Amino acid sequence: EVQLVESGGGLVQPGGSLRLSCAASGFSFSDHYMDWVRQAPGKGLEWVGRIRNKANSHTTEYAASVKGRFTISRDDSNNSLYLQVNSLKSEDTAVYYCARSTVTTALDHWGQGTLVTVSS
Amino acid sequence: IQLTQSPSSLSASVGDRVTITCRASQGISSHLVWYQQKPGKAPKLLIYAASTLQSGVPSRFSGSGSGTDFTLTISSLQPEDFATYYCQQLNSYPLTFGGGTKVEIK
């Protein structure tokens, strides 16, 4: 069974940083692209970014709203995905989901999400 | 690429046929997917490549379209289908979602 479990969310002050983690199991993690998607309270889904697999050199893509502040990385040896979030703003408050990408790059499995609240 | 979903919300009864549209600001071929999200839950993939049903998704769901105009249809609405539906384009980066369509009980 595919499982994705996020952790690392919490309350952080504006300008602060967090590292979100996503533990994957039940599939060959290293073969898949992985994405982060967020959802502000009561709002729609926003794509945050993607990291490709080793075959594609672990290259990354980001939404304009987070580029330069957020960094996606992965550790294939530990089946883990990460999102380093820096210079946080109130508008970054959201539930952050990790998701597995299929060969068509649709997101076919999602974690339960971790809440990041940016507030003083 | 901007995706515009319409309507933003709708009220329907069990058994109704429901159609949701997603319009892209430029052509995206068939690189469009649909997700369903229920309150407090993660999204669930329904359809990929505009019209291919994800494994395990009931056949009452269907998708169509290519280029800039896409449709998600629920042929006979069931109680478990009351949720918010999102389209997403996978044609080019940054990937983008539509604003969502909330399907409510009439």
Side-chain angles (χ1 to χ4, degrees), chain A residues 47-48 61-65, chain B residues 1 89-97:
Chain A
W47 181 78
V48 171
E61 304 285 348
Y62 296 97
S65 59
Chain B
I1 297 174
Q89 66 83 17
L90 305 176
N91 186 74
S92 62
Y93 295 102
L95 307 184
T96 47
F97 287 93

Side-chain angles (χ1 to χ4, degrees), chain A residues 1-82:
Chain A
E1 179 193 4
V2 173
Q3 283 200 324
L4 297 168
V5 179
E6 301 94 336
S7 60
L11 176 64
V12 60
Q13 291 188 337
S17 298
L18 279 177
R19 190 194 198 200
L20 308 183
S21 300
C22 172
S25 60
F27 66 101
S28 181
F29 177 76
S30 60
D31 288 340
H32 287 262
Y33 294 9
M34 297 294 296
D35 287 29
W36 287 97
V37 175
R38 69 183 179 180
Q39 187 168 35
K43 302 296 184 183
L45 301 172
E46 181 184 14
W47 181 78
V48 171
R50 165 170 289 173
I51 186 165
R52 297 179 178 86
N53 55 15
K54 182 178 180 180
N56 289 280
S57 305
H58 291 163
T59 52
T60 54
E61 304 285 348
Y62 296 97
S65 59
V66 306
K67 199 168 187 177
R69 300 189 299 123
F70 289 13
T71 302
I72 300 174
S73 61
R74 62 192 296 165
D75 180 349
D76 289 348
S77 65
N78 285 312
N79 292 339
S80 294
L81 175 72
Y82 304 103

